[in-house]
Amino acid sequence: MLLTNAKLATMDSSLTYGLLEDGAVWLEGESISWVGKSSDTPARAKSDAIIDCEGRLVTPGLVDCHTHIVFGGNRANEFEMRLNGASYEEVARAGGGIVSTVSATRAASEASLLVDALKRVDALIGEGVTTIEIKSGYGLDTSAELKMLRVAREIASQRMIDVKTSFLGAHAVPAEFSDRPDHYIDKICIPALNAAHREGLVDAVDGFCEGIAFQPEQIRRIFENATSMGLAVKLHAEQLSNLGAAQLAAEFSALSADHLEYANDVDAAAMADAGTIAVILPGAYYTLRETKQPPIDTFRKHKVAMALATDCNPGSSPITSLLLTMNMACTLFSMTPEEALRGATKNGALALGLKDRGAIAEGARADLAIWDVETPAELSYRIGFNPLHKRIYAGAVA
Ligand code: DI6
Ligand code: FE
């Protein structure tokens, strides 16, 4: 397949999107074989099926590198309670919060979890997403955690999208262990991780290091177990306070540290040294009406690569639009449109340990998005508008 007359945002290492006017891309099978000016297109490429992009913008397929998109039920009732004046404590006493999603997820069948998740995944696919990360973390026992991860794997077999899974058994202490968090970590969470890994369900291991979740030393035990099995790690870090989570992530050469509103200069330096990606999640900041912004300038200063993701989850970020996430990152956190698009392509891929995608480059996966826009900035500028013209997944229009 040959794409011609395209304005290519290659997102290669240079700034300004790696923009190439009047570009062409030759796809062979699931890979990009050639990228360049249309006038330089190799003769042998011209015999293939041609998509005339008619001057449209072409970007790498989008990467949503942080989602909790598999879950049972929803939390609209909490949303309404809060807006009618209920406090978080009153919501919690009414059985709200993560525990309510855990109950709904444990009660749901694998089939119903899949049906519900596919609706949300289809919304992302409709915006040009070609790779998505999906976490467990609403099961909090072995059978339910494996159920969630099996659903994540099934999504990849039912949709033209690549799924990377993250085990997040350390998302919350389940009610039955509320007074014994260490017992939960050692007797439930780690055995569940090992069982999930044995079944081939785990691509990386995540945790929630926060006062309302797990302490660094508890996360450390999970990370030591994960790395002993050769699994990469990532971490929800410094979302509501600074517990040293970002530095713990850097110590384990984590793929990413995520949220980071309370990260500081020392954290950024440690992340830069470790090559740990900063995953910025404006959906949660917006939903929770947070006021402490992640230190974008500090990450820039230390050259910490920044990714963006929806953090799609029923409590703190019920959002299924990576384009709106990009807009939020610019408007709320003053990221530039170039940083936002890089965060949803190349750096999102790096946050998953993937170097074979996120840029339009020879040898990269043939995952592309063709947009009805004049400039890349329009992808972050518009609010609630989807200008996707065509999505190409693994070399096929999908
Ligand atoms: N941080 C969050 O904001 C979500 N999980 C996490 O680690 C909250 C998830 C939920 O409220 O269901
Ligand atoms: Fe999250």
Side-chain angles (χ1 to χ4, degrees):
M1 183 189 303
L2 176 66
L3 279 69
T4 62
N5 299 325
K7 178 180 290 186
L8 297 180
T10 63
M11 304 316 289
D12 67 16
S13 53
S14 63
L15 285 178
T16 63
Y17 307 101
L19 214 51
L20 182 62
E21 300 281 354
D22 190 22
V25 191
W26 183 29
L27 314 180
E28 285 188 286
E30 299 191 5
S31 297
I32 295 173
S33 290
W34 178 88
V35 186
K37 299 289 284 180
S38 290
S39 54
D40 298 335
T41 302
R44 65 191 190 285
K46 293 175 181 172
S47 58
D48 279 1
I50 291 180
I51 293 183
D52 181 345
C53 297
E54 299 168 321
R56 291 184 179 88
L57 177 73
V58 178
T59 69
L62 302 189
V63 176
D64 192 354
C65 68
H66 180 135
T67 88
H68 307 251
I69 208 160
V70 172
F71 56 85
N74 72 61
R75 304 250 285 279
N77 60 317
E78 280 178 43
F79 179 72
E80 187 158 37
M81 282 176 71
R82 285 210 306 273
L83 288 164
N84 280 295
S87 68
Y88 276 95
E89 290 67 29
E90 284 162 335
V91 167
R93 274 200 295 277
I98 292 181
V99 289
S100 74
T101 301
V102 171
S103 303
T105 303
R106 285 176 172 177
S109 67
E110 205 168 306
S112 67
L113 287 176
L114 177 64
V115 166
D116 287 351
L118 283 175
K119 292 178 188 126
R120 296 183 282 265
V121 171
D122 285 342
L124 293 173
I125 287 173
E127 282 193 353
V129 174
T130 48
T131 298
I132 183 175
E133 183 257 14
I134 299 178
K135 305 175 191 292
S136 66
Y138 287 118
L140 307 187
D141 63 35
T142 297
S143 63
E145 285 291 302
L146 268 62
K147 175 172 68 176
M148 291 187 71
L149 292 168
R150 290 186 193 115
V151 170
R153 286 280 192 249
E154 183 62 20
I155 287 168
S157 67
Q158 294 207 14
R159 290 292 188 276
M160 294 180 78
I161 190 166
D162 197 23
V163 171
K164 296 301 174 195
T165 61
S166 296
F167 177 85
L168 180 60
H171 190 198
V173 182
E176 63 272 23
F177 291 98
S178 57
D179 59 343
R180 295 177 292 157
D182 284 305
H183 183 87
Y184 169 71
I185 290 290
D186 298 329
K187 302 299 181 196
I188 305 296
C189 185
I190 289 173
L193 165 56
N194 298 344
H197 180 51
R198 282 195 299 273
E199 200 172 308
L201 295 172
V202 182
D203 296 319
V205 178
D206 192 354
F208 184 17
C209 189
E210 191 56 69
I212 56 170
F214 295 95
Q215 294 301 310
E217 285 320 302
Q218 294 166 330
I219 297 294
R220 179 183 296 277
R221 297 207 296 275
I222 295 168
F223 279 10
E224 284 167 349
N225 185 69
T227 48
S228 74
M229 297 191 289
L231 290 170
V233 299
K234 52 182 51 249
L235 190 58
H236 287 66
E238 327 308 7
Q239 179 182 2
L240 307 172
S241 65
N242 189 308
L243 294 182
Q247 293 183 55
L248 176 67
E251 181 189 331
F252 279 86
S253 302
L255 294 174
S256 71
D258 302 40
H259 285 287
L260 296 171
E261 280 82 347
Y262 286 81
N264 57 37
D265 197 80
V266 173
D267 299 330
M271 289 172 66
D273 289 347
T276 297
I277 304 295
V279 178
I280 305 300
L281 302 170
Y285 173 93
Y286 167 85
T287 302
L288 298 176
R289 293 196 178 126
E290 291 299 332
T291 53
K292 182 81 169 61
Q293 298 188 10
I296 302 300
D297 274 337
T298 303
F299 292 133
R300 287 174 178 142
K301 183 179 85 173
H302 287 278
K303 295 188 173 27
V304 176
M306 294 183 283
L308 278 184
T310 58
D311 191 17
C312 176
N313 76 71
S316 71
S317 193
I319 182 171
T320 49
S321 170
L322 193 49
L323 293 176
L324 178 55
T325 300
M326 289 164 61
N327 171 266
M328 287 179 172
C330 295
T331 300
L332 296 176
F333 297 158
S334 302
M335 287 176 73
T336 66
E338 204 276 347
E339 287 172 327
L341 184 54
R342 191 170 295 276
T345 53
K346 189 174 183 77
N347 291 349
L350 291 175
L352 299 176
L354 302 172
K355 296 184 170 63
D356 66 346
R357 67 195 75 185
I360 302 177
E362 291 171 16
R365 275 175 61 98
D367 293 345
L368 300 168
I370 306 172
W371 307 93
D372 275 321
V373 296
E374 296 290 319
T375 67
E378 286 179 66
L379 297 177
S380 303
Y381 156 72
R382 307 286 295 256
I383 302 174
F385 180 76
N386 179 8
L388 183 71
H389 174 68
K390 268 192 180 59
R391 187 182 80 116
I392 294 174
Y393 175 76
V397 174

